[in-house]
Amino acid sequence: MAHRPKRTFRQRRADSSDSDGAEVPSAEPGAPGEQAARGPSKEGSPPGGGHAVAAEPRLRGRGRGRGRVWASSRRAARAALGADGDSGIPESRTVDLSTDEEDGTHHASESKDDQSSSSNGSSSLEEEFSSIVNIPDAAFIQAARRKRELARAQEDYISLDVKHTSTISDMRKNTTRNEETSEESQEDENQDIWEQQQMKKAVKITEGRDIDLSHNRKSQTMKKFDTSISFPPVNLEIIKKQLNTRLTLLQDTHRSHLREYEKYVQDVKSSKSTIHNLENSSNQALNFQFYKSMKIYVENLIDCLNEKIINIQEIESSMHALLLKQAMIFMKRRQDELKHQSTYLQQLSRKAETSTNGDKALDEKTQWILEEMESRRARRRQARALSGNCDHQEGTSSDDELSSADLTDFQKSQGDILQDHKKIFEDVHDDFCNIQNILSKFQQWREKFPDSYYEAFIGLCIPKLLNPLIRVQLIDWNPLKFDSIGLKQMPWFKYIEEFMNSSMEDSKKENGSDKKILSAVINKTIIPRLIDFVEFIWDPLSTSQTRSLITHCRTILEEQSTFENEVSKGKKDLLKSIVSRMKKAIDDDVFIPLYPESAVENKTSPQSKFQERQFWSGLKLFRNILLWNGLLSDDTLQELGLRKLLNRYLIIALLNAIPGPDVVTKCNQIAAYLPEKWFEDSTMRTSIPQLENFIQVLLQSALKLSRSEFRDEVKEVILILVKIRAFNQAESFIEEYHLDHLKSVIKEV
């Protein structure tokens, strides 16, 4: 019997798959090698030669890849069969049909080769596992089985089984007869058995190679350790130092972990607080609904006001034009009457008579004007007599009476404007035209969501929203009328004050914009309207108008005192317009004529009456100017009242007047109108410089009176000097003219 020589693992790796035909004898019938190999394999072995088949794939499987065992088994068989041609059995896939002993020997030798080859290093292991396991397929094994059966049928070998020698011929006949019938069933059965065997063998191969690989790795690791290497000496200090270093690192790490822990604890607390606040807060959907409704409300409010502002401006302009027309009527009438009366008196002084038609026409017009003027004065005298006012001076009354036709026309026009005024918001819901309702909407916002309310600066927006509505309420408001309603009594003023006072409960918003709502409304709405009245309608010669205007201005400026910086411009504009209007009145309306003494000696003469009327009219303006004391600065009042009016007009009239009780009365009235705060300094011995001319007039009047029958009036003059703190001048006058009986007057003061 011919035995296959033992081959190591490396010899098998060196031989390629193409040289397998040279190592394995050909399976052709009658081959010597095959006959020698089949003798022992027939005894006790199944016809299929399972051991031989199992051994050969194990050898070929060494060195092939592990991961592709299941995926490449059948595909390799089909590729081999397709490449062989007609025979269907490639020479490289010839299977060695050796006996079980040979298979066992080969298996043992291969195991030894595996163990010896495992020590060749990691490079040989990588080459071993990178190869592919080649396992014979079913078709290859079936072809080999058929060749063995044909060889038995031809009896070209000597059987070792003596029991079957007499039946070899019968077996040959039976084999030939049953070969065709059992070929198909046997092939299917063998196919299943073969597949199961191949699967078991592949699992065993992979398990074995895993064990070899781990063993090789361990052995390789053991070989890496070299005991000949010497390590540096180790002492206690080095160990201690390393431990301390390690301890320091651990402590630093621990501290960083503590800081992170504290941070996490704070985050947890903050998250819990946020959750608590969100749980306790109102529903977000309701909040969104509120903001949405508020947005829609404000948009609708703005649309409404934008639509109505045109009507408001038209009606406001109509009322202003009506009042301006009335004021121009009074001003033009006064100037015309002054012009014609002055012309008439000049003609009388010259005693000149004209005969031309033009002059006659002028005289007729002047006569008509004078008659109308005297009729109005007569009605006023009658009214004063009925009221018991007997101390009135001619020229101090305001000639603001309208004719019946003009009064009817004025009342009709005013009524039409007020009717249109009522129709402005007749088609508007109260929530969009009632100031109280509008403020209540914003108050709800402030109470529910104060943070967003103040962040939106609603306090700065409210004055702009209320401006058209307040202007509507001010259309029929005339601050020059003595019976006009005060600002604090107006409904809008009260509503805004209530809205502001409700916000004062929040101490954190003490300096919030809500505290400035009223001042902003006054600055942006009331002051511009007052300026229009001052510049175009106010008559500074009218005491009633001046007193009413001062009352409203004092209220406004007192409200602005808290926020002086914010409204300084509005305040300055208002006061500037007041000063400008009074300057214009001094220049245009003050006229005191000077006549010869012979013309004014008779107190009943037209010249004397006209002169007296014009002086008292100028003195009335002097009083009205000084009524602004406390609102206008002292310098402004002294400039207007003393330098421009008193020294330029009134003093000249006093110097040209006939000395007597009338001059003392006029001087006494002038001193009475002077503000007392100008003379509050008890150390003053000399009056203010602007009164120096007035003091000289008093001294001259006292001198003339002391030489006349009106000596008792000198005391009144000295009292006037004492009142205006002209002590030095009074004492000098008494000493100079030996008026020792008047020294007691100075001592009493």
Side-chain angles (χ1 to χ4, degrees), residues 242-384:
Q242 293 179 350
L243 290 176
N244 289 332
T245 303
R246 180 61 177 170
L247 178 61
T248 303
L249 294 175
L250 292 176
Q251 290 176 347
D252 294 340
T253 304
H254 178 67
R255 283 192 292 268
S256 64
H257 290 171
L258 285 178
R259 289 192 295 268
E260 292 180 0
Y261 172 75
E262 293 175 356
K263 179 182 177 182
Y264 294 151
V265 170
Q266 293 297 327
D267 292 342
V268 170
K269 290 181 180 179
S270 176
S271 300
K272 289 182 179 179
S273 176
T274 303
I275 293 172
H276 179 72
N277 294 334
L278 291 176
E279 290 177 351
N280 294 335
S281 63
S282 59
N283 193 312
Q284 295 297 325
L286 296 177
N287 297 348
F288 173 77
Q289 186 65 27
F290 174 81
Y291 285 121
K292 183 178 180 180
S293 63
M294 199 67 193
K295 177 179 178 293
I296 296 174
Y297 172 77
V298 173
E299 290 177 350
N300 293 333
L301 176 62
I302 294 174
D303 292 341
C304 174
L305 296 178
N306 288 335
E307 181 179 346
K308 297 297 182 180
I309 192 64
I310 299 176
N311 296 336
I312 295 173
Q313 291 175 348
E314 292 178 352
I315 296 175
E316 197 175 41
S317 300
S318 299
M319 181 61 76
H320 184 267
L322 181 64
L323 296 176
L324 178 61
K325 179 181 178 181
Q326 184 187 41
M328 294 302 295
I329 290 174
F330 294 148
M331 184 179 298
K332 186 176 184 303
R333 187 177 68 184
R334 182 171 61 220
Q335 292 177 352
D336 289 344
E337 290 176 354
L338 180 61
K339 177 181 178 182
H340 287 284
Q341 189 174 8
S342 176
T343 302
Y344 171 72
L345 293 176
Q346 287 178 359
Q347 291 176 354
L348 289 178
S349 300
R350 293 191 218 102
K351 295 181 181 181
E353 296 180 358
T354 59
S355 58
T356 60
N357 293 333
D359 292 337
K360 290 181 178 179
L362 178 63
D363 293 340
E364 291 177 359
K365 182 179 180 180
T366 302
Q367 188 67 28
W368 177 81
I369 292 175
L370 294 179
E371 289 177 357
E372 287 290 329
M373 181 181 62
E374 287 297 330
S375 64
R376 293 195 305 272
R377 292 174 181 173
R379 287 193 295 267
R380 289 196 296 270
R381 292 190 192 100
Q382 184 179 2
R384 287 194 298 268

Side-chain angles (χ1 to χ4, degrees), residues 137-254:
D137 53 9
F140 185 85
I141 297 172
Q142 187 65 28
R145 185 179 295 113
R146 290 177 181 175
K147 289 182 180 181
R148 288 196 300 271
E149 291 176 354
L150 291 175
R152 294 189 188 98
Q154 297 176 0
E155 296 182 351
D156 55 353
Y157 67 94
I158 300 175
S159 176
L160 298 178
D161 191 359
V162 295
K163 296 179 181 180
H164 300 284
T165 55
S166 61
T167 61
I168 291 176
S169 177
D170 296 333
M171 289 177 62
R172 181 183 59 189
K173 295 178 182 179
N174 293 333
T175 300
T176 304
R177 186 181 301 114
N178 296 330
E179 181 178 7
E180 295 178 358
T181 58
S182 63
E183 182 178 357
E184 294 179 359
S185 61
Q186 186 67 29
E187 182 177 357
D188 294 336
E189 182 180 357
N190 292 338
Q191 177 70 20
D192 296 336
I193 295 172
W194 178 85
E195 289 181 355
Q196 294 177 2
Q197 290 176 352
Q198 299 305 317
M199 291 174 64
K200 291 179 181 180
K201 291 176 184 179
V203 172
K204 289 180 181 180
I205 291 172
T206 56
E207 291 178 353
R209 293 192 176 182
D210 289 339
I211 296 173
D212 294 341
L213 181 61
S214 61
H215 176 74
N216 292 336
R217 288 179 178 175
K218 290 181 181 180
S219 61
Q220 186 176 4
T221 304
M222 295 294 291
K223 289 180 180 179
K224 288 182 179 180
F225 180 76
D226 190 0
T227 56
S228 62
I229 299 174
S230 61
F231 293 95
V234 178
N235 53 27
L236 184 60
E237 293 298 328
I238 296 176
I239 296 174
K240 183 178 179 181
K241 183 178 180 181
Q242 293 179 350
L243 290 176
N244 289 332
T245 303
R246 180 61 177 170
L247 178 61
T248 303
L249 294 175
L250 292 176
Q251 290 176 347
D252 294 340
T253 304
H254 178 67

Side-chain angles (χ1 to χ4, degrees), residues 611-627:
Q611 188 182 55
E612 288 293 311
R613 183 181 297 278
Q614 290 303 117
F615 177 86
W616 285 105
S617 175
L619 187 58
K620 179 183 179 181
L621 179 60
F622 177 78
R623 178 186 62 182
N624 293 343
I625 290 174
L626 295 180
L627 286 176

